[in-house]
Structures are given as structure tokens and as C-alpha cells.
Amino acid sequence: MDIENKSVTSEIFLLGLTYDTELESLIFGLFLGMYLITIFGNSLIMLAVYCDSHLHTPMYLFLCHLSFNDMYLVSITVPKMLVNIQTQDQRITYVGCLSQGFFVAVCTIFECFLLGIMAYDRYVAICYPLRYTVLMNPCFCIILVLISLFISIVNGLLHSLMILNLSFCNDLEIFHFFCEIAQVIKLACSDSLINNILIFATASIFAGIPLFEIIFSYIHIVSTVLKMPSSEGKYKAFSTCGSHLSVVCLFYGTGFGVYITSKVIDSPREISVASVMYSIVPPMLNPFIYSLRNRDMKEALKKVIARITLLL
């Protein structure tokens, strides 16, 4: 097979989720609807937190960052897919593909860290309520977010720079709707063992450490809650954690599901369909989980919707 130097690689073809042109119209409508729901839902969450002074706490600060990250993640991938379907042009530039892969990697790892930070916030609030305002002061919260973002960016840059050292074949086709770094590496004609090891190592560390921290936090949270004398206190404590725990299960559950699918199934097309579960579904459902399971968020959203209705 002819090898094309990485410096002259100009275009990659994103083959999407199906070859069936009839299904493409259905997929276009489905993904457009999911994208609009994601943007609208997460925007409402951010607006509710901004407008309601009662929600100006670390927990909701982290929730705003989570909502913005979810909106950014879907905006990186879905609009390009919709344009490709509409124009019947599956091409994406080499630079555009690397950029998309970089930002997806950044958002994915940043999501892991945010979920870990939110678990720590709940741990401090429930296990050390009298020291909560001291331990979770605004400066410390901002530092946590900035460090998480910095690590996520470094991780994305590391993978992107490693890809630049690879040489690629002539037929650059990805059976996916976006440029996932692991899929781009599969196109390489040169040895990509180090790249694959790096992906496994960084994913294990940067997704594993927040998960370990989440498990550690909830073990102590459950232990503390069970010692509470009143059933009302137990219910209130668990209700504040229910939304976050549901989001964690959704994100990590779909992520592990895609990983297992990629190991069991040898079909790139089916793997790309499975990837929808971790890249599109959690960002779309997170606002519903937080609004339906959180009383304070419900009240704030009602006020925001009422204001919007009056303006219209």
C-alpha cells in the first residue's frame, strides 16, 4: 500500500453512521433534535444558576462548567456531521480532523475531572458541613477547575502531537461521525504501538483517578448518612447526591459500554453507533437529570421559564 507523507495529507473522509441514503434523513433529524435539546437544556441550567442567587454555591458552579463542557462537546461533532449529511460531502481537512480529535479529548477528560470534583464537593458538604465554606472557598474551587482544564488540554495536545509523527495511507476513511483520536490512529501506515499505549495509559489515569475519587467520596458519604438520626436528614443528604450519581453512572456506564463494544465487536460501523452513547446521550440527558431530581434547580428553572414567557 502506498504511504503518503503526513505533511501532504490534506483530507479525511468521515463515512458517518450508515451508507443508506434513506436513513440519512432520519439520522439528520434525530441528531439535529438531540443537538438542539442539549444546547437548550444546558443553557437553561446555566441561566438558572446565574439568575438565582441561592444557587451561587460551589456545587452549582461546577454544574455550570459541566453544562458548558457538554454544550461544547456536542458542538464540536454534531454540526459537522449535519453539514456532511446535508451537502453529501464527507470530507474534513487533516488539520480540522486533528483539531476535532483534540477538543473531543479535552472535553471528555475535563468531564471526568468535573464529575470527580463534584463528588468531592458533596463529600465535604455532607461529611464536614461546618467546615464546608472554608474548605470549598471560591478561590479553591476555581483552582480545581483550572487545574482540571490544564491537565485535559495537555492530554489532548500530547495525543495530537503524537499523531503528527505518524505517516498515513492514501485512503483515509473513518467509519465514524467525528474524528476520534483512536480511529485516526488506525489510519496510520507507520507503527502506532506507542500511540495506542499512550491512549490506554492516559485514559486509565485521567478517567480512573476521578472515578476512584468518586467511589471514595460516596463510601464516606453513605457511611455518614447512615449514622444520621433523622430520616429527613438522610433523605435530604441522598437527594443532593442522587442527581450527580445518576450523571456519573450515565457517563462512565456508556463510556465503559463503548470500550467493551470495541473489544468484542470488530465492526467499525457498530462501534461508531455505540460511540453516540457516550458523546451525545449524556450531554443531552444531564440537564433533565439535574432538573428532575433537584428541588432547588426545579424552582430556579420555573422562575427562569416564567421570566422568558413574560418577555415573549
Side-chain angles (χ1 to χ4, degrees):
M1 184 180 291
D2 294 332
I3 295 179
E4 185 175 313
N5 187 279
K6 57 182 177 294
S7 62
V8 296
T9 302
S10 59
E11 292 180 341
I12 295 175
F13 289 85
L14 292 173
L15 302 185
L17 299 176
T18 181
Y19 288 122
D20 193 337
T21 54
E22 293 182 0
L23 280 178
E24 282 188 340
S25 298
L26 177 62
I27 291 174
F28 180 88
L30 178 63
F31 273 75
L32 178 60
M34 293 171 72
Y35 177 68
L36 293 176
I37 290 171
T38 302
I39 297 298
F40 179 73
N42 285 286
S43 296
L44 270 183
I45 293 289
M46 295 174 66
L47 189 60
V49 174
Y50 176 79
C51 294
D52 195 331
S53 59
H54 295 94
L55 301 184
H56 293 176
T57 62
M59 180 175 71
Y60 294 106
L61 168 69
F62 300 138
L63 178 58
C64 278
H65 284 89
L66 183 70
S67 294
F68 181 81
N69 187 68
D70 285 341
M71 287 195 299
Y72 196 74
L73 177 59
V74 296
S75 296
I76 295 165
T77 57
V78 177
K80 176 59 179 174
M81 175 193 180
L82 297 177
V83 170
N84 287 357
I85 293 176
Q86 192 68 23
T87 62
Q88 292 297 303
D89 185 355
Q90 299 170 321
R91 292 175 297 177
I92 183 173
T93 63
Y94 176 69
V95 174
C97 188
L98 283 185
S99 299
Q100 194 179 62
F102 163 76
F103 285 114
V104 168
V106 170
C107 289
T108 303
I109 296 301
F110 190 45
E111 184 111 354
C112 294
F113 277 110
L114 284 176
L115 292 174
I117 293 171
M118 293 171 77
Y120 176 74
D121 173 76
R122 292 298 84 205
Y123 161 71
V124 175
I126 293 173
C127 298
Y128 303 97
L130 299 179
R131 299 176 60 193
Y132 178 75
T133 55
V134 176
L135 294 175
M136 297 302 294
N137 62 81
C139 182
F140 179 66
C141 294
I142 293 172
I143 289 173
L144 283 178
V145 172
L146 290 178
I147 290 175
S148 301
L149 182 59
F150 175 76
I151 294 173
S152 303
I153 291 173
V154 170
N155 173 69
L157 282 174
L158 182 61
H159 290 301
S160 298
L161 292 174
M162 290 296 292
I163 289 177
L164 291 175
N165 292 320
L166 298 175
S167 296
F168 293 90
C169 307
N170 284 326
D171 298 325
L172 301 179
E173 297 179 342
I174 298 179
F175 293 91
H176 216 305
F177 65 95
F178 68 92
C179 288
E180 195 174 37
I181 286 178
Q183 300 299 323
V184 176
I185 291 174
K186 289 181 180 180
L187 300 177
C189 291
S190 55
D191 185 16
S192 59
L193 177 62
I194 295 177
N195 297 75
N196 289 316
I197 292 175
L198 185 64
I199 286 179
F200 178 79
T202 54
S204 300
I205 294 171
F206 296 139
I209 290 177
L211 180 60
F212 175 80
E213 197 275 328
I214 290 168
I215 294 172
F216 173 84
S217 296
Y218 274 102
I219 288 174
H220 285 80
I221 287 172
V222 171
S223 176
T224 301
V225 170
L226 292 178
K227 294 177 183 178
M228 291 180 177
S230 67
S231 57
E232 183 180 349
K234 291 180 181 179
Y235 175 78
K236 185 177 180 180
F238 278 127
S239 65
T240 61
C241 298
S243 301
H244 174 259
L245 196 56
S246 300
V247 171
V248 169
C249 293
L250 178 64
F251 179 75
Y252 274 97
T254 53
F256 283 130
V258 172
Y259 177 77
I260 294 171
T261 300
S262 65
K263 297 300 178 183
V264 175
I265 300 175
D266 195 27
S267 170
R269 187 71 63 181
E270 293 183 11
I271 293 173
S272 67
V273 173
S275 295
V276 174
M277 295 304 297
Y278 87 88
S279 60
I280 307 296
V281 175
M284 181 183 68
L285 294 182
N286 286 352
F288 292 98
I289 294 173
Y290 271 100
S291 61
L292 292 175
R293 297 182 61 90
N294 189 300
R295 184 181 300 174
D296 293 334
M297 183 58 67
K298 279 183 184 179
E299 295 300 321
L301 284 173
K302 287 179 182 177
K303 293 177 183 178
V304 169
I305 294 173
R307 289 181 184 180
I308 294 174
T309 304
L310 289 174
L311 291 174
L312 295 176

